[in-house]
Amino acid sequence: MAGAVLDLRALNRALLARQWLLDPPRATTALEAIEHLGGLQAQDVKAPYFQLWSRLADFEPAELSGLLERRDAVRIVAMRGTIHLVSARDAPLLRALAQPALSGQTNSNHRVPEDVDRVALADAGRALVDAEPRTFAQLAAELGERWPHADGPALAQQVRARVPLVQVPPRGLWGRSGPAAHTSLANWTGDEPPPHEDLNLAPFVLRYLAAFGPARPADFQKWSGRTGAAHAFERLRSDHELVVFEDEQGRELFDLPDAPRPAGDTPAPPRLTGPFDNLILSHVDTSRVLPPAHKPLVMTQNGLIAGLVLLDGFVAGNWRIKATKKLATVTITQFGKTYNKRDAAAVAREAHRLLDVVAPTAADRDVAFAAPTPAC
């Protein structure tokens, strides 16, 4: 039986609290944050740095770069078939969680003929990337030599889906660049994902709710790309490990008994979150943080187009940064209406705080407010 009704603002404040956006913790490491959040979406190489900066007091980019260089964190295809930055401890499990969806995507790819043995293809790809890290273009060319009647890039994508690959540094390091060169997770960290068929989803559900609850099984599927989690929610309910609420539409919401659920009128400071932030990619109904009128302004088929501005806990704009040695500027695009003076000043302070990290040596730093973009 469902319990109390949680309105939109209560769900918003609960999510912000779990995401460490109400009161960023101190003395918490980047690795702890990455694991608490279940990884950071990372196809934009700088996005994880901005995502952690918005959530951790006193975050320094060098800390995250160090995790990648020491192999304590990796860049790997995981949830929703997208690149995530995850801890090395979590990488095998999160890859196993995502594996059925990845396999389903490649099994329907008709550019790889049926006479290409998938196991032999995966073995050949693994041998190539373990001998020396390779980009997908390089992998496609070499696999194409062995299977000339097949599409080379499609062969490489088959390997990507079947072999857990990590992008090796300098890819993803702060202030440096490098190609997206890959080796296998096993070669990089010594670990392989467990068989996905035997995976117990209950621990993943508990971790998901700790970072994104209260939520429904459909929300877990949205975040993970994994189907069939409803039975895990029900088992946890029957074992009294979850409590149940309702949203304003009468839908059941599951949560951890002791998870934070602040009142809806709890103050929410302005925040600038990073591009491709899982904050708005992990629920079927994104309105708990993204007003429906603003959704077309920030969501495309490829995800988010920029970092987001949160005012009173909800998306109210986006931001972009352009930095040279002489000038660094954060441009704020306001959604729907011009910010009042108090909100504009608070957002500008956050933007200047970001500039302190991104462009500490720039001769001039500025925050510009673009004309408001009409809501849809």
Side-chain angles (χ1 to χ4, degrees):
M1 183 176 179
V5 174
L6 298 177
D7 65 18
L8 183 63
R9 291 187 65 86
L11 292 174
N12 173 270
R13 294 313 195 251
L15 177 59
L16 295 182
R18 316 289 171 92
Q19 290 286 302
W20 297 353
L21 289 166
L22 278 184
D23 186 19
R26 296 184 180 274
T28 299
T29 67
L31 189 62
E32 289 170 335
I34 292 166
E35 292 189 334
H36 169 74
L37 296 168
L40 307 168
Q41 192 160 325
Q43 61 263 52
D44 179 326
V45 293
K46 291 184 179 179
Y49 293 90
F50 297 133
Q51 293 165 21
L52 290 177
W53 167 83
S54 66
R55 290 168 167 87
L56 295 177
D58 306 319
F59 170 70
E60 293 291 341
E63 182 184 1
L64 180 52
S65 288
L67 293 176
L68 290 168
E69 291 179 303
R70 295 191 301 272
R71 308 188 187 190
D72 293 325
V74 297
R75 294 171 51 83
I76 187 171
V77 174
M79 289 79 73
R80 305 183 299 277
T82 58
I83 290 288
H84 274 70
L85 195 155
V86 305
S87 75
R89 287 189 293 258
D90 278 346
L93 291 172
L94 292 176
R95 175 58 184 235
L97 180 68
Q99 191 57 51
L102 293 170
S103 298
Q105 292 170 6
T106 54
N107 288 341
S108 62
N109 189 335
H110 301 297
R111 292 186 296 159
V112 178
E114 292 184 3
D115 64 351
V116 175
D117 185 292
R118 268 49 175 182
V119 174
L121 173 58
D123 289 345
R126 183 188 290 269
L128 287 169
V129 298
D130 285 354
E132 182 179 356
R134 283 167 164 81
T135 66
F136 281 132
Q138 294 168 329
L139 189 60
E142 296 185 65
L143 293 172
E145 292 177 0
R146 178 166 174 178
W147 288 280
H149 64 301
D151 179 78
L155 293 171
Q157 288 303 312
Q158 284 278 340
V159 173
R160 176 182 186 264
R162 295 173 181 275
V163 179
L165 300 178
V166 299
Q167 296 181 348
V168 301
R171 185 71 171 179
L173 299 183
W174 185 257
R176 297 173 61 185
S177 63
H182 304 79
T183 192
S184 71
L185 177 65
N187 187 50
W188 193 248
T189 68
D191 294 320
E192 283 278 12
H196 67 83
E197 300 88 350
D198 303 330
L199 208 59
N200 177 12
L201 295 185
F204 294 96
V205 169
L206 295 175
R207 288 186 61 180
Y208 168 76
L209 292 174
F212 296 98
R216 300 181 290 145
D219 297 320
F220 176 85
Q221 181 177 336
K222 176 71 173 178
W223 168 74
S224 66
R226 184 76 176 237
T227 60
H231 71 282
F233 278 81
E234 290 300 332
R235 185 168 70 252
L236 290 166
R237 185 216 302 252
S238 65
D239 291 342
H240 305 290
E241 293 189 55
L242 299 180
V243 292
V244 184
F245 299 93
E246 283 188 356
D247 64 16
E248 292 176 295
Q249 288 72 44
R251 298 172 296 198
E252 281 191 326
L253 297 168
F254 295 85
D255 204 6
L256 306 178
D258 299 325
R261 287 179 290 274
D265 60 356
T266 301
R271 300 288 182 212
L272 306 184
T273 69
F276 298 96
D277 200 305
N278 280 333
L279 176 71
I280 66 168
L281 294 172
S282 302
H283 299 89
V284 174
D285 182 357
T286 59
S287 65
R288 68 176 65 190
V289 70
L290 176 57
H294 295 164
K295 188 172 183 178
L297 303 177
V298 300
M299 302 285 288
T300 69
Q301 289 184 346
N302 295 323
L304 312 187
I305 59 175
L308 301 176
V309 178
L310 302 184
L311 281 177
D312 190 30
F314 293 89
V315 174
N318 64 31
W319 62 268
R320 291 178 173 83
I321 190 166
K322 183 176 182 180
T324 66
K325 291 182 179 180
K326 292 184 177 181
L327 176 64
T329 302
V330 173
T331 300
I332 307 292
T333 298
Q334 305 158 93
F335 290 168
K337 62 181 181 180
T338 302
Y339 303 158
N340 62 41
K341 290 183 178 181
R342 183 186 64 182
D343 288 341
V347 169
R349 285 194 294 272
E350 278 293 284
H352 279 291
R353 194 169 68 86
L354 178 61
L355 287 169
D356 288 341
V357 173
V358 175
T361 61
D364 292 302
R365 291 180 283 176
D366 187 33
V367 176
F369 286 84
T373 299
C376 298

